[in-house]
Amino acid sequence: MPLRRAGAVFIGQTTTPEFGWKAITDSGLCGITRNPWNAQKTPGGSSGGAAVAAATGAGVFHLGTDGGGSIRIPASFTGIAGLKPTFGRVPAYPSSAFGTVAHIGPMARTALDLSVMAGAMSGRDISDWQQGVGTLAPLGRIEEVLRGARIGYWSKPPSGALDSGIAAVVSHALTCFDAFGATVEPIDLPGGDLLDLFQHHWFTGAAARLALVPPSERAGIDPGFLEVAQAGAAFDVHTLVAAQLERAEFGAAMDRLLDDYDFIVSPGTSIPAFDVGLEVPLGSGLSRWIEWAAFSYPINLSQQPACVIPCGMTEAGLPVGFQIIGARGDDARVLSAAADLEAAFVPMTHAFRQKDLV
């Protein structure tokens, strides 16, 4: 494994939900993983254990997987940094049942640590056929990457609604771009019903994963996962192929958008961390985690690099994440922008960095 070859010392495994299927972290095996800022709140998921370990200083580098936000959501909820790299930068073998929406990436306390870890993880592995044969640019630091940049601000999630408190914190964070001489313009994402499009890919992946479990061993599986897998199994082949073609059109439109803009930025999540033991916030009217993860899953469909860093806190004392998205292959620019913004956000994040963790 590349991290071992680079000298990394593994000190333990961290918790996830079964099959990494949802954006909170609980399971019948390990129970509930809690947010270190407030033990009554979720740390997000599916890489929730890794996020909590990073936030509490249990190790330096933490491994996450992201098929619909599973690195970026817990990074946002726990006040750490997390990178979903360009698809194929980090090899994955065996392939995920969730297909080419699934990415592997680093989680840590700072963007600099993300760069170090991502550099060690990246590279060609002929066992991963889905990587392709091209070579992506190295992850060296790029100075003044935000100087005079054109920034698109994406603030309208394709499902659910943006919490007003999150919106206020992120809007304040946007003022930091003035110091770089960057311009910020509101944008909307291209595409149609992105929630429906993602569900076709995610739910059918769940069905494929469940098919590997013998029926005699399914009694203890998370009921929510079973529901999602059953929904995926109900999609017919024509609908799935149509969804794959629609995804290709959306991905190309995103490539064009990021040819016009240096970066797209957005809230890390549309809502703050909510009560543990729930897939969706109580009283929200939502039915599945995907609906509130709407600043995450579109970028799994389009495969661009996306990094989340903390930019402040809610009035209730919970971290707020800020997402930076770049063109495919531009991971170094995304990480460099994240590092520059971390420094600019210091006054905004200092208060909760000094707060004692629960």
Side-chain angles (χ1 to χ4, degrees):
M1 151 176 269
L3 287 172
R4 291 190 190 279
R5 289 197 297 268
V9 177
F10 286 74
I11 63 173
Q13 295 180 322
T14 50
T15 54
T16 70
E18 288 178 341
F19 310 118
W21 82 272
K22 59 184 176 180
I24 60 172
T25 302
D26 58 38
S27 71
L29 178 64
C30 298
I32 292 175
T33 301
R34 298 174 182 272
N35 194 310
W37 298 103
N38 182 333
Q40 300 307 309
K41 305 297 180 182
T42 179
S46 61
S47 304
V52 172
T56 56
V60 178
F61 302 129
H62 306 270
L63 188 65
T65 57
D66 191 316
S70 290
I71 288 173
R72 292 161 291 153
I73 290 167
S76 186
F77 279 3
T78 63
I80 66 162
L83 172 71
K84 181 190 77 66
T86 297
F87 182 82
R89 176 173 287 281
V90 177
Y93 180 81
S95 299
S96 169
F98 293 98
T100 57
V101 299
H103 301 58
I104 299 175
M107 304 172 74
R109 282 196 159 196
T110 69
L112 177 59
D113 284 345
L114 294 182
S115 297
V116 172
M117 185 176 176
M121 295 167 66
S122 299
R124 183 80 174 95
D125 186 334
I126 59 173
S127 296
D128 182 2
W129 177 82
Q130 294 179 355
Q131 268 192 302
V133 296
T135 301
L136 293 172
L139 294 174
R141 183 83 162 90
I142 301 173
E143 300 296 331
E144 297 195 334
V145 71
L146 290 172
R147 185 66 54 191
R150 187 183 183 200
I151 310 294
Y153 177 42
W154 167 34
S155 63
K156 298 177 183 177
S159 58
L162 177 59
D163 175 82
S164 60
I166 298 287
V169 173
V170 172
S171 293
H172 182 49
L174 290 174
T175 62
C176 290
F177 284 105
D178 293 342
F180 299 102
T183 58
V184 180
E185 306 169 14
I187 63 164
D188 292 318
L189 289 198
D193 188 344
L194 296 179
L195 175 63
D196 180 71
L197 179 60
F198 181 74
Q199 287 176 333
H200 275 76
H201 288 78
W202 189 257
F203 288 8
T204 52
R209 184 63 186 86
L210 180 63
L212 300 177
V213 180
S216 61
E217 298 178 11
R218 296 179 186 180
I221 290 178
D222 188 328
F225 177 76
L226 292 176
E227 291 172 8
V228 166
Q230 289 163 2
F235 290 131
D236 64 67
V237 64
H238 304 291
T239 302
L240 179 57
V241 171
Q244 292 168 343
L245 295 174
E246 184 180 351
R247 179 190 179 187
E249 293 176 1
F250 170 66
M254 285 294 292
D255 282 346
R256 289 191 294 271
L257 185 62
L258 278 155
D259 193 45
D260 290 336
Y261 289 91
D262 295 290
F263 301 99
I264 295 171
V265 299
S266 77
T269 57
S270 59
I271 58 175
F274 52 91
D275 290 350
V276 294
L278 302 172
E279 186 181 342
V280 300
L282 191 65
S284 65
L286 305 177
S287 58
R288 294 253 87 102
W289 67 267
I290 297 170
E291 296 168 62
W292 58 260
F295 285 114
S296 297
Y297 64 73
I299 314 306
N300 292 86
L301 291 169
S302 58
Q303 300 186 336
Q304 280 87 16
C307 183
V308 164
I309 57 174
C311 68
M313 59 190 297
T314 67
E315 291 185 359
L318 294 169
V320 176
F322 189 92
Q323 180 169 233
I324 308 106
I325 304 162
R328 285 191 292 171
D330 278 354
D331 304 64
R333 297 182 73 248
V334 167
L335 287 166
S336 297
D340 288 345
L341 287 170
E342 273 183 341
F345 290 163
V346 163
M348 302 174 188
T349 60
H350 180 74
F352 79 78
R353 285 288 186 205
Q354 297 304 309
K355 180 180 179 291
D356 289 335
L357 293 175
V358 173

